[in-house]
Amino acid sequence: MHNEHKMKIFACRKSKPLAEKIAKALGTELGKSEVLEFSDGEFQPSFNESVRGATVFIVQSTFPPVENLFELLLMIDAAKRASAHTVIAVMPYFGWARQDRKDKPRVSIGAKLVANILHAAGCDRVMTCDLHADQIQGFFDFPVDHLYASNIFLPYLRDKHIENLAIAAPDMGGAKRANAYARYLQCPVIICHKSRERANVVGSITAIGDVAGKNVIIVDDMIDTAGTLTKAANVLKEMGALSVKACATHAVFSGNAYERIAESALEEVIVTDTIPLSSDPAKDTGKITVLSVADTFANVIEKVYNYEPISDSFIF
C-alpha cells in the first residue's frame, strides 16, 4: 500500500550533511528551505516549496546550543501552518536526554520538557537513535521510532574477526547495552565502576571482569568530554588489556574530548554521524572512525511512510 501523501524531506542547518545522505539513500533530494537571520540573533526558517498535504520529515539532531532544538521547533510549526498532513521530527541525536529523572532535588526533567515542547509545536512522530535511557520513549504522547546504532556497529565489529574479544561497559548504566553486544559477538563482558566527584568529573574507576590478554571494546551511547571513556581505557590497559577501542553512537566531543582521546590508550574510536564532527584539522587524532546512520534512517523513513512494520530493522 502506497501512502497517498507525498514524502518530503527537509533539513535544519546543522544536520544538513546527514540529511543529504538520507535523501540520497531514499533516491530523492532535500526539500528547499532557508533561514532568515536577524541582527539580534533571532532567526526565522521558511519552506521554499509547498508542503500542503505532504508527509514532512525534518532532520535535526538537537545537540547544544539551544538554537538547534529551537530551529527544529520553528520548522515543525512552519510545516503545520503550511498545511502539512504529518510532521515527523527525525532527531538522530535527542538532546537533553541525560535529564530523564530527578536525580537530585529541585532539578528539571529536561527530556520530558523537550517531548512536551515537540508536541506543542505540532510534531506527530519522532524518529531517534540510541536514547540515553529507553524510558524516554514513554515521555511522548505520540509514536517514537527508536533506532539502534548496534545495527551498524555489530556487523562492523563482527567483520573484523577480533580474537580474545571482550566488551566493556564504561559504567554500571551501560551494562545492559554491553551485555547485548557481548551476547551477539559471543564474548565476555567487563563492567567499569566509577565514582563521580561532580558532573563531567570522574573520581576513580575500577574494572570488574577478566581484562588481561583481551582486546577490549568499550560500548556507550555517547562521548561528551571523553573523561570517563579515556580514564576507563587507561585503567583497562593498565590491567593488561592487549588493546582498547571504543564504540559510541553520539560524538558530542565537548571540551577537551579530542585531546583526551589523542593522549589516551584508545586505539580506535568508532562513532556515527548523528552529530557532525569538528572540521578543524587540528582536532583530527587519526583514531576516529565514522560510520553513517543514513541508510538505517532512510530504511525506517521509507517503512514508516509506507505504513510497513519496522521491527525487522533491528538486531536487538
Side-chain angles (χ1 to χ4, degrees):
M1 172 184 167
H2 184 69
N3 193 335
E4 67 276 18
H5 303 285
K6 195 169 166 55
M7 180 205 288
K8 296 207 171 201
I9 296 179
F10 293 90
C12 296
R13 289 171 293 181
K14 281 288 177 7
S15 288
K16 203 161 188 179
L18 174 57
E20 281 170 347
K21 286 188 211 163
I22 292 171
K24 191 177 176 188
L26 285 163
T28 183
E29 288 188 355
L30 280 184
K32 296 179 181 67
S33 62
E34 65 179 342
V35 180
L36 174 66
E37 292 198 47
F38 301 95
S39 61
D40 64 350
E42 191 179 316
F43 55 89
Q44 182 184 47
S46 63
F47 294 96
N48 291 350
E49 60 183 78
S50 173
V51 294
R52 184 178 300 277
T55 300
V56 174
F57 293 87
I58 303 169
V59 183
Q60 175 76 316
S61 282
T62 55
F63 54 99
V66 181
E67 276 86 345
N68 294 326
L69 172 62
F70 206 73
E71 187 178 336
L72 173 63
L73 295 168
L74 291 173
M75 287 278 276
I76 293 166
D77 185 65
K80 274 297 192 196
R81 292 176 190 280
S83 303
H85 178 263
T86 309
V87 182
I88 299 170
V90 180
M91 304 169 69
Y93 171 72
F94 180 83
W96 284 268
R98 282 174 283 188
Q99 298 180 43
D100 61 330
R101 66 199 183 284
K102 277 184 74 173
D103 53 357
K104 56 178 186 274
R106 298 176 293 281
V107 294
S108 71
I109 302 180
K112 172 62 178 162
L113 178 62
V114 172
N116 287 349
I117 298 169
L118 283 162
H119 196 161
C123 187
D124 295 298
R125 187 183 197 109
V126 159
M127 210 171 270
T128 188
C129 184
D130 280 342
L131 286 167
H132 190 61
D134 286 350
Q135 69 266 20
I136 291 171
Q137 295 169 77
F139 293 178
F140 294 88
D141 293 325
F142 50 78
V144 176
D145 300 308
H146 187 205
L147 283 57
Y148 297 95
S150 53
N151 276 15
I152 305 158
F153 289 144
L154 287 172
Y156 176 83
L157 295 174
R158 185 193 59 213
D159 295 346
K160 276 185 170 296
H161 303 293
I162 301 165
E163 291 184 359
N164 300 319
L165 178 64
I167 296 291
D171 51 35
M172 293 299 203
K176 186 183 165 194
R177 181 183 290 105
N179 191 42
Y181 272 66
R183 213 170 47 238
Y184 180 86
L185 295 164
Q186 298 180 317
C187 66
V189 178
I190 297 160
I191 309 286
C192 296
H193 174 64
K194 69 181 175 189
S195 57
R196 268 201 193 281
E197 288 177 7
R198 58 184 188 276
N200 289 130
V201 179
V202 180
S204 61
I205 289 187
T206 52
I208 305 157
D210 193 8
V211 179
K214 292 281 193 286
N215 290 303
V216 182
I217 296 172
I218 303 170
V219 294
D220 209 353
D221 65 317
M222 70 168 75
I223 301 171
D224 186 356
T225 61
T228 302
L229 177 67
T230 51
K231 207 157 190 175
N234 294 343
V235 166
L236 290 166
K237 194 76 174 153
E238 283 162 21
M239 289 176 71
L242 293 178
S243 69
V244 187
K245 295 184 165 99
C247 250
T249 311
H250 309 298
V252 181
F253 289 169
S254 65
N256 298 326
Y258 285 99
E259 290 79 3
R260 282 186 178 136
I261 288 166
E263 291 160 14
S264 74
L266 287 163
E267 286 183 14
E268 183 184 21
V269 178
I270 309 148
V271 296
T272 75
D273 54 356
T274 57
I275 296 173
L277 262 65
S278 170
S279 54
D280 180 358
K283 305 268 190 192
D284 184 12
T285 62
K287 292 182 175 185
I288 297 165
T289 303
V290 183
L291 306 179
S292 183
V293 292
D295 288 349
T296 305
F297 272 95
N299 177 31
V300 174
I301 284 170
E302 193 158 38
K303 287 182 173 176
V304 165
Y305 174 66
N306 289 318
Y307 301 116
E308 292 169 9
I310 62 168
S311 50
D312 60 353
S313 300
F314 304 108
I315 290 177
F316 59 77

